[in-house]
Amino acid sequence: MYQKLWDVMRRVVVQKKFIHDQVSQGRIHVKDSQNSLSTTNLGTDKKDVNELNANESYDSLKEELADAVTPLWRIPYHEQLKIKNQRNFEIMVKLTKRLRPNSNSSNIICQLKETLPSPVTLHYRNKNEFHIRYDSDGRAVVGLCVGKASKNTLRCITAEKLLNTHPFHSNVAQHLQDYIQHQSKWKICEHFQRGGNWRGLTIRSNYKNEQMAIVTIHPQNLTGEEIHSEMERMKDYLLACPLSNQLVSIYYQACLHTRCTAEQSPFILLHGQSHIYERIGEYDFRISPESFFQVNTQGAQLLYETVARQLAPERLSTVVDLCCGTGTQGLMVARHCRGVIGIELSRSAVEDARFNAAHNQIHNAEFFAGRVEKLFRPLLEQLDAAPDIAVIVNPSRGGVDDRVIELLRSNQRVRHVVYISCQADGLAMNNFVSLCHRPTRKMNSEPFVLRKAIPVDMFPHTDHCELVLSFRR
């Protein structure tokens, strides 16, 4: 299915070899705006050749990063959608074979729609998580990593050329990089046991282009006063840079682990607002440092509208939103049903969800913090009088625990489940199979039927998209 992609990549490799050969002979070929080649005879000046080689090396690194992060970036967007259509068809074929292992039919198990295109394809990410590591020359870089540490090829490359990354995000990353290289005495923390402090930078932004920066460090043996002093100097440096008026919030987190929750290590506000606000349609949502929010805001509106149409709750329906994040999806259907109940692991996200409900004047929604597999059963017991329960499931790539699927199957008032999957051919497929397979001794309840699958492209230039699956019984 990636044949066109590989063909383009091969042509690029051949083109690069041709350019290199011509450079070595003193004739330099440069790509113009139409991707054609123009030729300039610059003689054999070593300085010119060295500068070109340096620029080519720089461009080569950028292309290597782009190929790793946005592997479809060389392909026109309408062709990317065709690739994703084919990939989603193959996912449905795989699911069909698991549910109908003895069938000889070539039909897939449900209606599969064509991929809905993202409303925006460039610089669409409202969140970037940058690494702070060394490049191949040993310089501190705030960017993204390619290669493998096990093979000693891991290196960090700045991300300003990526098609999915907002220039404002790259701008803050560049200023922090300048500070680390020229102002800070701290070293980079590549391995916890080997010392160093600088670890990462997360940038979040909203429809107003307001930005929140979260710097992650390892405290090592530093005192609280030493950490705070360095963070204050960093803050002052960032605020003195151009476009700093858009940097409305600066946090830092001193994290001892690979990743820390706010409960394990609090986010310390250095400057400005404690939150930023994002807008989807007529709703405003509060964003905290660790809140889950879809990275493509305009794509998120398309996704949530698609889910709402598939869920189609009735006035007396109770909607249960599992893995609800900051409550976005549930709140957008709350005015069309009896009420919404959300469950989310992150306590700060639940606080945001409750705030978002009140802020948007929605009074029939409640949210609880905890593990879905532990809270879902007592929640269903409390809903014993609800005539109809519609469920939204929006988990991480690994899907939900088997106990959640068993509860969905066993409760006859749950007649409709809409499942949002960002990796439908991974572990989440086990959830789909368990929802639909025939009754067994272990799970003898009525199965669901997968009626429709709708891909929504939330990640242009990558090979990922969200898949909305509508299960009914």
Side-chain angles (χ1 to χ4, degrees), residues 73-109:
W73 70 280
R74 303 174 191 271
I75 302 175
Y77 186 58
H78 68 277
E79 294 293 334
Q80 295 182 30
L81 294 175
K82 293 179 181 179
I83 291 174
K84 295 186 180 189
N85 285 337
Q86 179 62 28
R87 181 173 183 269
N88 287 307
F89 177 77
E90 293 174 359
I91 290 172
M92 288 298 105
V93 169
K94 180 179 177 181
L95 178 59
T96 300
K97 288 181 178 179
R98 289 192 60 180
L99 289 169
R100 299 173 181 171
N102 300 319
S103 175
N104 294 321
S105 173
S106 60
N107 296 328
I108 59 175
I109 197 168

Side-chain angles (χ1 to χ4, degrees), residues 255-286:
C255 179
L256 290 165
H257 311 290
T258 303
R259 186 178 292 269
C260 295
T261 64
E263 288 78 20
Q264 293 172 316
S265 180
F267 294 89
I268 307 300
L269 181 64
L270 288 169
H271 164 76
Q273 306 170 11
S274 57
H275 305 83
I276 59 175
Y277 292 82
E278 186 58 281
R279 176 167 293 173
I280 298 182
E282 60 183 19
Y283 300 91
D284 290 324
F285 298 98
R286 187 174 79 172

Side-chain angles (χ1 to χ4, degrees), residues 423-435:
Q423 192 174 3
D425 58 344
L427 293 175
M429 186 169 287
N430 295 330
N431 291 165
F432 312 153
V433 173
S434 297
L435 282 169

Side-chain angles (χ1 to χ4, degrees), residues 211-269:
Q211 298 174 72
M212 172 188 289
I214 306 109
V215 177
T216 305
I217 66 166
H218 195 295
Q220 300 294 355
N221 296 320
L222 295 173
T223 65
E225 183 178 347
E226 290 172 322
I227 292 173
H228 187 71
S229 177
E230 177 71 10
M231 292 295 96
E232 283 291 326
R233 286 193 295 270
M234 175 202 70
K235 176 203 71 175
D236 292 340
Y237 185 89
L238 293 178
L239 293 178
C241 294
L243 301 177
S244 62
N245 60 313
Q246 293 169 315
L247 193 55
V248 301
S249 178
I250 302 177
Y251 280 92
Y252 80 88
Q253 184 188 41
C255 179
L256 290 165
H257 311 290
T258 303
R259 186 178 292 269
C260 295
T261 64
E263 288 78 20
Q264 293 172 316
S265 180
F267 294 89
I268 307 300
L269 181 64

Side-chain angles (χ1 to χ4, degrees), residues 151-391:
K151 296 183 178 180
N152 202 31
T153 60
L154 188 70
R155 59 207 182 281
C156 198
I157 303 172
T158 57
E160 73 272 9
K161 298 294 185 180
L162 293 178
L163 296 182
N164 64 352
T165 299
H166 201 290
F168 289 156
H169 295 192
S170 299
N171 182 60
V172 177
Q174 181 63 54
H175 292 318
L176 179 60
Q177 176 177 302
D178 293 342
Y179 176 80
I180 294 172
Q181 288 182 351
H182 306 299
Q183 302 293 326
S184 178
K185 295 182 180 179
W186 285 5
K187 302 299 182 182
I188 290 175
C189 178
E190 292 190 288
H191 303 279
F192 295 169
Q193 293 79 15
R194 298 179 187 175
N197 305 101
W198 297 108
R199 292 186 52 193
L201 168 70
T202 299
I203 300 293
R204 311 192 73 147
S205 59
N206 62 9
Y207 70 104
K208 295 180 180 180
N209 285 327
E210 295 174 332
Q211 298 174 72
M212 172 188 289
I214 306 109
V215 177
T216 305
I217 66 166
H218 195 295
Q220 300 294 355
N221 296 320
L222 295 173
T223 65
E225 183 178 347
E226 290 172 322
I227 292 173
H228 187 71
S229 177
E230 177 71 10
M231 292 295 96
E232 283 291 326
R233 286 193 295 270
M234 175 202 70
K235 176 203 71 175
D236 292 340
Y237 185 89
L238 293 178
L239 293 178
C241 294
L243 301 177
S244 62
N245 60 313
Q246 293 169 315
L247 193 55
V248 301
S249 178
I250 302 177
Y251 280 92
Y252 80 88
Q253 184 188 41
C255 179
L256 290 165
H257 311 290
T258 303
R259 186 178 292 269
C260 295
T261 64
E263 288 78 20
Q264 293 172 316
S265 180
F267 294 89
I268 307 300
L269 181 64
L270 288 169
H271 164 76
Q273 306 170 11
S274 57
H275 305 83
I276 59 175
Y277 292 82
E278 186 58 281
R279 176 167 293 173
I280 298 182
E282 60 183 19
Y283 300 91
D284 290 324
F285 298 98
R286 187 174 79 172
I287 308 297
S288 298
E290 68 173 351
S291 296
F292 171 79
F293 199 88
Q294 293 287 352
V295 298
N296 181 344
T297 303
Q298 294 185 49
Q301 181 167 353
L302 176 63
L303 174 68
Y304 295 148
E305 289 172 350
T306 301
V307 171
R309 283 195 297 271
Q310 295 307 305
L311 193 69
E314 300 176 356
R315 295 302 303 177
L316 293 179
S317 298
T318 299
V319 173
V320 177
D321 190 358
L322 302 181
C323 311
C324 65
T326 55
T328 46
Q329 180 66 81
L331 293 176
M332 292 181 72
V333 300
R335 294 189 174 117
H336 306 285
C337 64
R338 182 181 182 182
V340 171
I341 302 174
I343 302 176
E344 166 61 38
L345 179 61
S346 169
R347 292 187 180 276
S348 64
V350 168
E351 291 174 1
D352 286 336
R354 291 170 178 169
F355 176 90
N356 291 333
H359 184 71
N360 290 284
Q361 298 183 348
I362 296 173
H363 307 295
N364 61 338
E366 184 54 276
F367 300 92
F368 300 95
R371 294 190 175 278
V372 169
E373 59 269 24
K374 292 185 177 181
L375 296 185
F376 192 33
R377 182 184 295 277
L379 172 61
L380 288 176
E381 292 172 354
Q382 292 295 318
L383 294 176
D384 59 346
D388 177 71
I389 301 174
V391 179

